[in-house]
Every structure is written in C-alpha cells, then in structure tokens.
Amino acid sequence: MPYIVIKRLFDVILAFVLLIIFSPLLLLTALSIWLYDGGPVFVENPKRIGKGGNKFFMYKFRSMIVDAHNKIEKDEAYKSKKIAKMKNCNKISSNDRELVTSVGRVIRKID
C-alpha cells in the first residue's frame, strides 16, 4: 500500500478513537454553551480554503455572544477593536471581553 493510503487510514482511525474518548467533554461543552444563552452551539463561519484550494466549513464552539461576527464587521464601535485584535495576532484583548461569554472564557482559557 502506498504511504498516503496508510497515513490517511491511520488519521481516520485515530480521529474516530479520539472522538469517542472526548465525546463526553464535547457534549458537556455544547450543553454549557446552549444553556448559557440558548443560541447556536457552533460558530457560523464563512467557508475556509483548504488543501488544493478547496473550500470547507470549519466547525468550532461559539465562545462569543450570538451574532458577534456581524457586530464586529458592521458596528463602527467594534471595527477599531477588530483592527487592534489583528495587530495582536488574534489574541483576545480587554476591549473584546464584553463579546466573550463566561463559557467562552473557559474555552479560551482567559481571565
């Protein structure tokens, strides 16, 4: 078997095993986000560009308030915060703290 097929098989099997092992933690996180404000559990991100230029959806837990992405893009008060955030290598700044939920603080490991 070629190396690429063996590597892909190993990746899929390992991902499946890790998903089973961490599923209780993932379910607890999802439940915590949903109970906090009743909003969606996952972030609605635009498609990302992957290997070979293929677009894909990336799923990640929502750590900010509902519709925070649109607030940052459209609200003038948040645009300057977005620029400052980009300058700090996407690290959360004290200005963004009002957008991050208490569950999000745990997920992001910030104070």
Side-chain angles (χ1 to χ4, degrees), residues 37-104:
D37 61 5
V41 173
F42 297 105
V43 176
E44 296 176 10
N45 277 335
K47 284 188 173 182
R48 304 269 176 125
I49 298 176
K51 185 176 181 181
N54 296 326
K55 292 185 176 183
F56 68 96
F57 283 107
M58 184 176 81
Y59 297 98
K60 61 182 184 177
F61 288 120
R62 181 175 55 87
S63 63
M64 298 179 95
I65 62 172
V66 177
D67 207 30
H69 181 72
N70 287 332
K71 279 187 178 181
I72 292 171
E73 291 295 323
K74 296 176 182 171
D75 191 347
E76 290 298 324
Y78 292 107
K79 281 189 180 181
S80 61
K81 294 177 185 180
K82 180 182 177 186
I83 293 168
K85 184 177 178 183
M86 292 174 87
K87 287 180 182 176
N88 292 326
C89 301
N90 288 330
K91 292 185 180 177
I92 190 78
S93 67
S94 59
N95 296 334
D96 288 333
R97 293 193 186 273
E98 69 265 12
L99 296 175
V100 179
T101 64
S102 59
V103 176

Coordinates of all heavy atoms in Angstrom, one line a residue, residues 37-104:
D37 N -27.1 30.8 26.9 CA -28.0 31.8 26.3 C -29.0 31.2 25.2 O -29.7 32.0 24.6 CB -27.1 32.9 25.6 CG -26.2 32.4 24.5 OD1 -26.3 31.2 24.2 OD2 -25.5 33.2 24.0
G38 N -29.0 29.9 25.1 CA -30.0 29.3 24.1 C -29.6 29.5 22.7 O -30.4 29.2 21.8
G39 N -28.5 30.1 22.4 CA -28.1 30.4 21.0 C -27.5 29.1 20.4 O -27.4 28.1 21.0
P40 N -27.0 29.3 19.1 CA -26.4 28.1 18.5 C -25.1 27.7 19.2 O -24.4 28.6 19.8 CB -26.1 28.6 17.1 CG -26.1 30.1 17.2 CD -27.0 30.5 18.3
V41 N -24.8 26.5 19.1 CA -23.6 25.9 19.8 C -22.3 26.2 19.0 O -21.3 26.5 19.5 CB -23.7 24.4 20.0 CG1 -22.5 23.8 20.6 CG2 -24.9 24.2 21.0
F42 N -22.4 26.1 17.7 CA -21.3 26.3 16.8 C -21.3 27.7 16.1 O -22.3 28.3 15.9 CB -21.2 25.2 15.7 CG -21.1 23.8 16.2 CD1 -22.2 23.0 16.3 CD2 -19.9 23.4 16.8 CE1 -22.1 21.7 16.8 CE2 -19.8 22.1 17.3 CZ -20.8 21.3 17.3
V43 N -20.1 28.2 15.8 CA -19.9 29.4 15.1 C -20.3 29.3 13.7 O -20.0 28.3 13.1 CB -18.4 29.9 15.2 CG1 -18.2 31.2 14.4 CG2 -18.0 30.1 16.6
E44 N -21.0 30.2 13.1 CA -21.3 30.2 11.7 C -20.3 31.0 11.0 O -20.4 32.2 10.7 CB -22.7 30.8 11.5 CG -23.8 30.0 12.2 CD -25.2 30.7 12.0 OE1 -25.3 31.6 11.3 OE2 -26.1 30.2 12.7
N45 N -19.2 30.3 10.7 CA -18.1 30.9 9.9 C -18.3 30.8 8.4 O -18.9 29.8 8.0 CB -16.8 30.2 10.3 CG -16.1 30.7 11.5 OD1 -16.4 31.8 11.9 ND2 -15.3 29.9 12.2
P46 N -17.7 31.7 7.7 CA -17.7 31.5 6.2 C -16.8 30.4 5.9 O -16.0 29.9 6.7 CB -17.2 32.8 5.7 CG -16.5 33.5 6.8 CD -17.2 33.0 8.1
K47 N -16.9 29.9 4.7 CA -16.0 28.7 4.3 C -14.5 29.2 4.3 O -14.2 30.3 4.1 CB -16.4 28.3 2.9 CG -17.6 27.4 2.8 CD -17.8 26.8 1.5 CE -19.0 25.9 1.5 NZ -19.1 25.3 0.2
R48 N -13.7 28.2 4.7 CA -12.3 28.4 4.7 C -11.7 27.7 3.5 O -12.3 26.9 2.9 CB -11.6 27.8 6.0 CG -12.2 28.3 7.3 CD -11.4 29.5 7.8 NE -12.1 30.0 9.0 CZ -11.4 30.2 10.1 NH1 -10.2 29.8 10.2 NH2 -12.1 30.7 11.1
I49 N -10.5 28.1 3.1 CA -9.8 27.5 2.0 C -8.8 26.5 2.5 O -7.9 26.8 3.3 CB -9.1 28.6 1.1 CG1 -10.2 29.5 0.6 CG2 -8.4 27.9 0.0 CD1 -9.7 30.7 -0.2
G50 N -8.9 25.3 2.0 CA -8.1 24.2 2.4 C -7.1 23.7 1.4 O -6.7 24.5 0.4
K51 N -6.6 22.5 1.5 CA -5.6 21.9 0.6 C -6.2 21.9 -0.8 O -7.3 21.5 -1.1 CB -5.3 20.5 1.0 CG -4.2 19.9 0.3 CD -3.9 18.5 0.8 CE -2.8 17.9 0.0 NZ -2.4 16.5 0.5
G52 N -5.3 22.4 -1.7 CA -5.7 22.4 -3.1 C -6.7 23.5 -3.5 O -7.4 23.4 -4.5
G53 N -7.0 24.4 -2.6 CA -7.9 25.5 -2.8 C -9.3 25.1 -2.6 O -10.2 25.9 -3.0
N54 N -9.6 23.9 -2.1 CA -11.0 23.5 -1.8 C -11.5 24.2 -0.6 O -10.8 24.4 0.4 CB -11.0 22.0 -1.6 CG -10.6 21.2 -2.8 OD1 -10.9 21.6 -3.9 ND2 -9.9 20.1 -2.6
K55 N -12.8 24.7 -0.7 CA -13.4 25.4 0.4 C -14.1 24.3 1.3 O -14.6 23.3 0.8 CB -14.4 26.4 -0.1 CG -13.8 27.5 -0.8 CD -14.8 28.6 -1.2 CE -14.1 29.8 -1.8 NZ -15.1 30.8 -2.1
F56 N -14.1 24.6 2.6 CA -14.7 23.7 3.6 C -15.2 24.5 4.7 O -14.8 25.7 5.0 CB -13.7 22.7 4.1 CG -12.6 23.2 4.9 CD1 -12.7 23.2 6.3 CD2 -11.5 23.7 4.3 CE1 -11.7 23.7 7.1 CE2 -10.5 24.2 5.1 CZ -10.6 24.2 6.5
F57 N -16.2 24.0 5.4 CA -16.7 24.6 6.6 C -15.9 24.1 7.8 O -15.6 22.9 7.9 CB -18.2 24.2 6.9 CG -19.2 25.0 6.0 CD1 -19.8 24.3 5.0 CD2 -19.4 26.3 6.3 CE1 -20.7 25.0 4.2 CE2 -20.3 27.0 5.5 CZ -20.9 26.3 4.4
M58 N -15.5 25.0 8.7 CA -14.8 24.7 9.9 C -15.8 24.8 11.1 O -16.4 25.8 11.2 CB -13.6 25.6 10.1 CG -12.8 25.2 11.3 SD -11.3 26.2 11.5 CE -12.0 27.6 12.3
Y59 N -15.9 23.8 11.8 CA -16.8 23.8 13.0 C -16.0 24.0 14.2 O -15.0 23.4 14.5 CB -17.6 22.4 13.1 CG -18.4 22.2 11.9 CD1 -18.0 21.4 10.9 CD2 -19.7 22.7 11.8 CE1 -18.8 21.1 9.8 CE2 -20.5 22.5 10.7 CZ -20.1 21.7 9.7 OH -20.9 21.5 8.6
K60 N -16.5 25.0 15.0 CA -15.9 25.3 16.3 C -16.9 25.8 17.3 O -17.9 26.4 16.8 CB -14.7 26.2 16.2 CG -15.0 27.6 15.7 CD -13.7 28.4 15.6 CE -13.9 29.8 15.1 NZ -12.7 30.6 15.1
F61 N -16.7 25.6 18.5 CA -17.7 26.0 19.5 C -17.7 27.6 19.6 O -16.7 28.2 19.5 CB -17.3 25.5 20.9 CG -17.6 24.0 21.1 CD1 -16.5 23.2 21.4 CD2 -18.8 23.5 20.9 CE1 -16.7 21.8 21.5 CE2 -19.1 22.1 21.1 CZ -18.0 21.3 21.4
R62 N -18.9 28.1 19.8 CA -19.1 29.5 19.9 C -18.7 30.0 21.3 O -19.1 29.5 22.3 CB -20.6 29.9 19.7 CG -20.9 31.3 19.7 CD -22.3 31.6 19.3 NE -23.3 30.9 20.2 CZ -23.7 31.3 21.4 NH1 -23.3 32.5 21.8 NH2 -24.6 30.6 22.1
S63 N -17.7 30.9 21.3 CA -17.3 31.5 22.6 C -17.7 32.9 22.8 O -17.5 33.5 23.9 CB -15.7 31.4 22.7 OG -15.1 32.2 21.7
M64 N -18.3 33.5 21.8 CA -18.7 34.9 21.9 C -20.3 34.9 21.8 O -20.9 33.9 21.6 CB -18.2 35.7 20.7 CG -16.6 35.8 20.8 SD -15.9 36.7 19.4 CE -15.7 38.3 20.2
I65 N -20.8 36.1 22.1 CA -22.3 36.3 22.1 C -22.8 36.0 20.7 O -22.1 36.0 19.7 CB -22.7 37.7 22.5 CG1 -22.1 38.7 21.5 CG2 -22.2 38.0 23.9 CD1 -22.6 40.2 21.8
V66 N -24.1 35.7 20.6 CA -24.8 35.4 19.3 C -24.6 36.6 18.4 O -24.8 37.8 18.8 CB -26.3 35.1 19.6 CG1 -27.0 34.9 18.2 CG2 -26.4 33.9 20.5
D67 N -24.3 36.4 17.2 CA -24.1 37.4 16.1 C -22.9 38.3 16.4 O -22.9 39.5 15.9 CB -25.4 38.2 16.0 CG -25.6 38.8 14.6 OD1 -25.1 38.1 13.6 OD2 -26.2 39.8 14.5
A68 N -21.9 37.9 17.1 CA -20.8 38.8 17.4 C -20.0 39.0 16.1 O -19.5 40.1 15.9 CB -19.8 38.1 18.4
H69 N -19.9 38.1 15.2 CA -19.2 38.3 13.9 C -19.8 39.4 13.1 O -19.0 40.3 12.7 CB -19.3 37.0 13.1 CG -18.5 37.1 11.8 ND1 -17.1 37.1 11.8 CD2 -18.9 37.1 10.5 CE1 -16.7 37.2 10.5 NE2 -17.8 37.2 9.7
N70 N -21.1 39.5 13.0 CA -21.7 40.6 12.3 C -21.6 41.9 13.1 O -21.4 43.0 12.4 CB -23.2 40.3 12.1 CG -23.4 39.3 11.0 OD1 -22.6 39.1 10.1 ND2 -24.5 38.5 11.2
K71 N -21.6 41.9 14.4 CA -21.4 43.1 15.1 C -20.0 43.7 14.9 O -19.8 44.9 14.7 CB -21.5 42.9 16.6 CG -22.9 42.9 17.1 CD -23.0 42.8 18.6 CE -24.4 42.9 19.1 NZ -24.6 42.8 20.5
I72 N -19.0 42.8 14.9 CA -17.6 43.2 14.6 C -17.4 43.8 13.2 O -16.7 44.8 13.0 CB -16.6 42.1 14.9 CG1 -16.6 41.7 16.4 CG2 -15.2 42.4 14.4 CD1 -15.9 40.5 16.7
E73 N -18.1 43.2 12.3 CA -18.0 43.6 10.9 C -18.7 44.9 10.6 O -18.3 45.7 9.8 CB -18.5 42.5 9.9 CG -17.6 41.3 9.9 CD -16.2 41.5 9.3 OE1 -16.1 42.3 8.4 OE2 -15.3 40.9 9.8
K74 N -19.9 45.1 11.2 CA -20.8 46.2 10.8 C -20.8 47.4 11.7 O -21.1 48.5 11.3 CB -22.2 45.7 10.5 CG -22.2 44.7 9.4 CD -23.6 44.1 9.2 CE -23.6 43.1 8.1 NZ -24.8 42.3 7.9
D75 N -20.6 47.1 13.0 CA -20.7 48.2 14.0 C -19.4 49.0 14.1 O -18.3 48.4 14.3 CB -21.0 47.6 15.4 CG -21.4 48.6 16.4 OD1 -21.2 49.8 16.2 OD2 -21.9 48.2 17.5
E76 N -19.5 50.3 13.9 CA -18.3 51.1 13.9 C -17.5 51.0 15.2 O -16.3 51.1 15.2 CB -18.6 52.6 13.6 CG -19.1 52.8 12.2 CD -18.0 52.5 11.2 OE1 -16.8 52.8 11.5 OE2 -18.4 52.0 10.1
A77 N -18.2 50.8 16.3 CA -17.5 50.7 17.6 C -16.6 49.5 17.7 O -15.6 49.5 18.4 CB -18.5 50.7 18.8
Y78 N -17.0 48.5 17.0 CA -16.2 47.2 17.1 C -15.1 47.1 16.0 O -14.2 46.3 16.1 CB -17.1 46.0 17.0 CG -18.0 45.9 18.2 CD1 -19.3 46.1 18.2 CD2 -17.4 45.4 19.4 CE1 -20.1 46.0 19.3 CE2 -18.2 45.3 20.6 CZ -19.6 45.6 20.5 OH -20.3 45.5 21.6
K79 N -15.2 47.9 14.9 CA -14.2 47.9 13.9 C -12.8 48.2 14.3 O -11.9 47.5 14.0 CB -14.6 48.8 12.7 CG -15.7 48.2 11.8 CD -15.9 49.0 10.6 CE -17.0 48.3 9.7 NZ -17.2 49.1 8.5
S80 N -12.7 49.2 15.2 CA -11.4 49.5 15.7 C -10.8 48.4 16.6 O -9.6 48.1 16.6 CB -11.4 50.8 16.5 OG -12.3 50.7 17.6
K81 N -11.8 47.7 17.3 CA -11.3 46.6 18.1 C -10.8 45.4 17.3 O -9.9 44.8 17.6 CB -12.5 46.1 19.0 CG -12.9 47.2 20.0 CD -14.1 46.7 20.8 CE -14.6 47.8 21.7 NZ -15.8 47.3 22.5
K82 N -11.5 45.2 16.1 CA -11.1 44.2 15.2 C -9.7 44.5 14.7 O -8.8 43.6 14.6 CB -12.0 44.0 14.1 CG -11.6 43.0 13.1 CD -12.6 42.9 11.9 CE -12.1 41.8 11.0 NZ -12.9 41.8 9.8
I83 N -9.4 45.7 14.3 CA -8.1 46.1 13.8 C -7.0 45.9 14.9 O -6.0 45.3 14.7 CB -8.1 47.5 13.3 CG1 -9.0 47.7 12.1 CG2 -6.7 48.0 13.0 CD1 -9.3 49.1 11.7
A84 N -7.3 46.3 16.1 CA -6.4 46.1 17.3 C -6.2 44.6 17.5 O -5.1 44.1 17.8 CB -6.9 46.7 18.5
K85 N -7.2 43.8 17.4 CA -7.1 42.4 17.6 C -6.2 41.7 16.5 O -5.4 40.9 16.8 CB -8.5 41.7 17.5 CG -8.5 40.3 17.8 CD -10.0 39.8 17.8 CE -10.1 38.3 18.0 NZ -11.4 37.8 17.9
M86 N -6.3 42.2 15.3 CA -5.5 41.6 14.2 C -4.0 42.0 14.4 O -3.1 41.2 14.1 CB -6.0 42.1 12.9 CG -7.3 41.6 12.5 SD -8.0 42.3 11.0 CE -7.3 41.2 9.8
K87 N -3.8 43.2 15.0 CA -2.4 43.6 15.3 C -1.8 42.7 16.4 O -0.6 42.5 16.4 CB -2.3 45.0 15.6 CG -2.6 46.0 14.5 CD -2.5 47.4 14.9 CE -2.8 48.3 13.8 NZ -2.8 49.7 14.2
N88 N -2.6 42.2 17.3 CA -2.1 41.4 18.4 C -2.2 39.9 18.1 O -2.3 39.1 19.0 CB -2.9 41.7 19.6 CG -2.7 43.1 20.2 OD1 -1.6 43.6 20.1 ND2 -3.7 43.7 20.7
C89 N -2.1 39.5 16.8 CA -2.1 38.1 16.4 C -3.3 37.4 16.8 O -3.3 36.3 17.3 CB -0.8 37.4 16.9 SG 0.7 38.2 16.3
N90 N -4.5 38.0 16.7 CA -5.8 37.4 17.0 C -6.0 37.1 18.5 O -6.8 36.3 18.8 CB -6.1 36.2 16.1 CG -6.4 36.6 14.7 OD1 -6.9 37.7 14.5 ND2 -6.0 35.8 13.8
K91 N -5.1 37.6 19.4 CA -5.3 37.3 20.8 C -6.4 38.2 21.3 O -6.6 39.4 20.9 CB -4.0 37.5 21.6 CG -3.0 36.5 21.2 CD -1.8 36.7 22.1 CE -0.8 35.6 21.7 NZ 0.5 35.7 22.4
I92 N -7.2 37.7 22.2 CA -8.3 38.5 22.8 C -7.8 39.7 23.6 O -6.8 39.6 24.3 CB -9.2 37.6 23.7 CG1 -10.5 38.3 24.1 CG2 -8.5 37.1 24.9 CD1 -11.5 38.3 23.0
S93 N -8.4 40.8 23.3 CA -8.0 42.0 24.1 C -9.0 42.3 25.1 O -10.1 41.8 25.1 CB -7.8 43.2 23.1 OG -9.0 43.5 22.6
S94 N -8.7 43.2 26.0 CA -9.6 43.6 27.0 C -10.8 44.3 26.5 O -11.9 44.3 27.0 CB -8.9 44.5 28.1 OG -8.4 45.7 27.4
N95 N -10.7 44.9 25.3 CA -11.8 45.5 24.6 C -12.9 44.5 24.1 O -14.0 44.9 24.0 CB -11.3 46.3 23.4 CG -10.4 47.5 23.8 OD1 -10.5 48.0 24.9 ND2 -9.5 47.9 22.9
D96 N -12.5 43.3 23.9 CA -13.4 42.3 23.3 C -14.1 41.5 24.5 O -14.9 40.7 24.2 CB -12.7 41.3 22.5 CG -12.3 41.9 21.1 OD1 -12.9 42.8 20.7 OD2 -11.3 41.4 20.6
R97 N -13.8 41.8 25.7 CA -14.3 40.9 26.8 C -15.8 41.0 26.9 O -16.4 40.0 27.3 CB -13.6 41.3 28.1 CG -12.2 41.0 28.1 CD -11.6 41.1 29.5 NE -10.1 40.8 29.4 CZ -9.6 39.7 29.4 NH1 -10.3 38.6 29.5 NH2 -8.2 39.5 29.4
E98 N -16.4 42.1 26.5 CA -17.9 42.2 26.5 C -18.5 41.3 25.5 O -19.7 40.9 25.6 CB -18.4 43.6 26.4 CG -18.2 44.2 25.0 CD -17.0 45.0 24.9 OE1 -16.1 45.0 25.7 OE2 -16.9 45.7 23.9
L99 N -17.8 40.8 24.5 CA -18.4 39.9 23.5 C -18.2 38.5 23.8 O -18.9 37.6 23.3 CB -17.7 40.2 22.1 CG -17.9 41.5 21.5 CD1 -17.1 41.7 20.2 CD2 -19.4 41.8 21.2
V100 N -17.3 38.2 24.7 CA -17.0 36.8 25.1 C -17.9 36.4 26.3 O -18.1 37.1 27.2 CB -15.5 36.6 25.5 CG1 -15.2 35.2 25.9 CG2 -14.6 37.0 24.4
T101 N -18.5 35.2 26.1 CA -19.4 34.7 27.2 C -18.6 34.0 28.3 O -17.4 33.8 28.1 CB -20.4 33.6 26.6 OG1 -19.6 32.5 26.2 CG2 -21.2 34.2 25.5
S102 N -19.2 33.8 29.4 CA -18.5 33.1 30.5 C -18.0 31.7 30.1 O -16.9 31.3 30.5 CB -19.3 33.1 31.8 OG -20.5 32.4 31.6
V103 N -18.8 31.0 29.4 CA -18.4 29.7 28.9 C -17.2 29.9 27.9 O -16.3 29.1 27.9 CB -19.6 28.9 28.2 CG1 -19.1 27.6 27.6 CG2 -20.7 28.7 29.1
G104 N -17.3 30.9 27.1 CA -16.2 31.2 26.2 C -14.9 31.5 26.8 O -13.8 31.2 26.3

